[in-house]
Amino acid sequence: NLFTKAGSTSFHVVSDFDRTLTKAFVDGTKFVSSYALVRDGKYLTPDYPARAHALFDRYHPYEIDETLSMAEKNKWMNRWWGEHFELMKECGMNKKVISDIISKGKIQFRAGALEFLDLLSQNHIPILILSAGLGDIIQELLKSESKLTHHLHLISNFYRFDEQGKVIGRPDTHFIHTFNKNEVEVKGTPYYNEIKQRKNVLLLGD
């Protein structure tokens, strides 16, 4: 096995989050995205679900259109993610929403996932979680399980909050969406410096 021969110092992990490190089904029901947890939980203004669905109806056809180039799809996905983030801000997204989703256990890790993260940390193997979901929810969930170690890196879509916990914007970074989950996004980050000499990678997705 090439991975074994090269050893742990030549190895790193890149993983999706939703339905990869977390369960695909909870109590027999397919797990929804972090965005859907916010929408279906009725946390935001009453008009939010219908407006979010309208964005889906507008942009999803571009996501699944096999005749479009990747550049065209990237353009439409960036518009979708951008408009949706602005909509969530307008409709009252805040830190209390994130805390409630975490406290109610609406996201469940797959069997063995937390032990897997511990094993990587114990062996000083970096893992990048690359997610098009809501990074603040993922970060708080990992924090609640004490998994935010030095070797775990998270690239996702984050908010900026004011002192009252209300969303006021987002960092000046690229949106992570369906079609740009690649390691180009990591250049210039601490994670890249940690893995640039590690030639072997385990890629996990759903």
Side-chain angles (χ1 to χ4, degrees), residues 137-151:
I137 290 179
I138 297 170
Q139 182 172 268
E140 287 304 308
L141 181 63
L142 291 166
K143 184 179 179 180
S144 72
E145 298 286 351
S146 301
K147 303 307 176 194
L148 285 181
T149 66
H150 172 72
H151 298 288

Side-chain angles (χ1 to χ4, degrees), residues 195-206:
I195 61 93
K196 60 185 178 182
Q197 301 301 325
R198 293 173 179 260
K199 303 302 182 183
N200 296 324
V201 58
L202 174 65
L203 179 63
L204 303 176
D206 63 344

Side-chain angles (χ1 to χ4, degrees), residues 1-2 9 30-32 46 66 87 95 106 141 149 152:
N1 185 301
L2 293 176
T9 59
K30 186 177 181 180
F31 176 75
V32 296
E66 296 182 359
L87 175 62
K95 283 188 174 182
K106 293 187 176 184
L141 181 63
T149 66
L152 187 147

Side-chain angles (χ1 to χ4, degrees), residues 23-201:
K23 292 182 178 180
F25 291 87
V26 177
D27 297 327
T29 302
K30 186 177 181 180
F31 176 75
V32 296
S33 69
S34 49
Y35 297 101
L37 287 175
V38 175
R39 182 192 67 222
D40 298 342
K42 299 180 180 180
Y43 293 105
L44 307 185
T45 55
D47 61 331
Y48 170 70
R51 294 171 70 184
H53 278 300
L55 287 177
F56 177 89
D57 292 340
R58 179 181 180 187
Y59 288 110
H60 183 59
Y62 296 109
E63 183 179 14
I64 62 175
D65 189 339
E66 296 182 359
T67 68
L68 294 180
S69 68
M70 194 56 67
E72 277 290 303
K73 288 195 173 192
N74 275 322
K75 179 184 74 174
W76 290 114
M77 293 305 99
N78 278 319
R79 288 188 184 182
W80 184 3
W81 260 247
E83 289 182 27
H84 191 204
F85 260 62
E86 284 299 312
L87 175 62
M88 295 181 84
K89 181 177 75 170
E90 179 184 331
C91 294
M93 183 64 182
N94 60 81
K95 283 188 174 182
K96 289 182 180 179
V97 173
I98 297 168
S99 298
D100 193 69
I101 288 173
I102 302 303
S103 66
K104 289 182 177 176
K106 293 187 176 184
I107 307 173
Q108 296 182 22
F109 283 98
R110 284 184 182 270
L114 295 177
E115 291 82 0
F116 175 62
L117 295 178
D118 286 340
L119 185 64
L120 294 177
S121 179
Q122 290 160 11
N123 288 277
H124 310 291
I125 297 171
I127 175 172
L128 170 65
I129 296 174
L130 188 58
S131 173
L134 293 172
D136 296 287
I137 290 179
I138 297 170
Q139 182 172 268
E140 287 304 308
L141 181 63
L142 291 166
K143 184 179 179 180
S144 72
E145 298 286 351
S146 301
K147 303 307 176 194
L148 285 181
T149 66
H150 172 72
H151 298 288
L152 187 147
H153 305 264
L154 173 61
I155 294 180
S156 187
N157 299 307
F158 289 90
Y159 291 114
R160 288 190 298 111
F161 300 91
D162 64 16
E163 293 181 357
Q164 285 72 46
K166 183 178 179 181
V167 168
I168 56 174
R170 57 180 304 275
D172 185 22
T173 56
H174 295 297
F175 281 111
I176 305 299
H177 56 69
T178 311
F179 297 111
N180 69 348
K181 290 182 179 180
N182 55 63
E183 287 198 83
V184 173
E185 296 290 333
V186 310
K187 288 185 177 179
T189 68
Y191 171 75
Y192 182 73
N193 292 329
E194 191 172 354
I195 61 93
K196 60 185 178 182
Q197 301 301 325
R198 293 173 179 260
K199 303 302 182 183
N200 296 324
V201 58

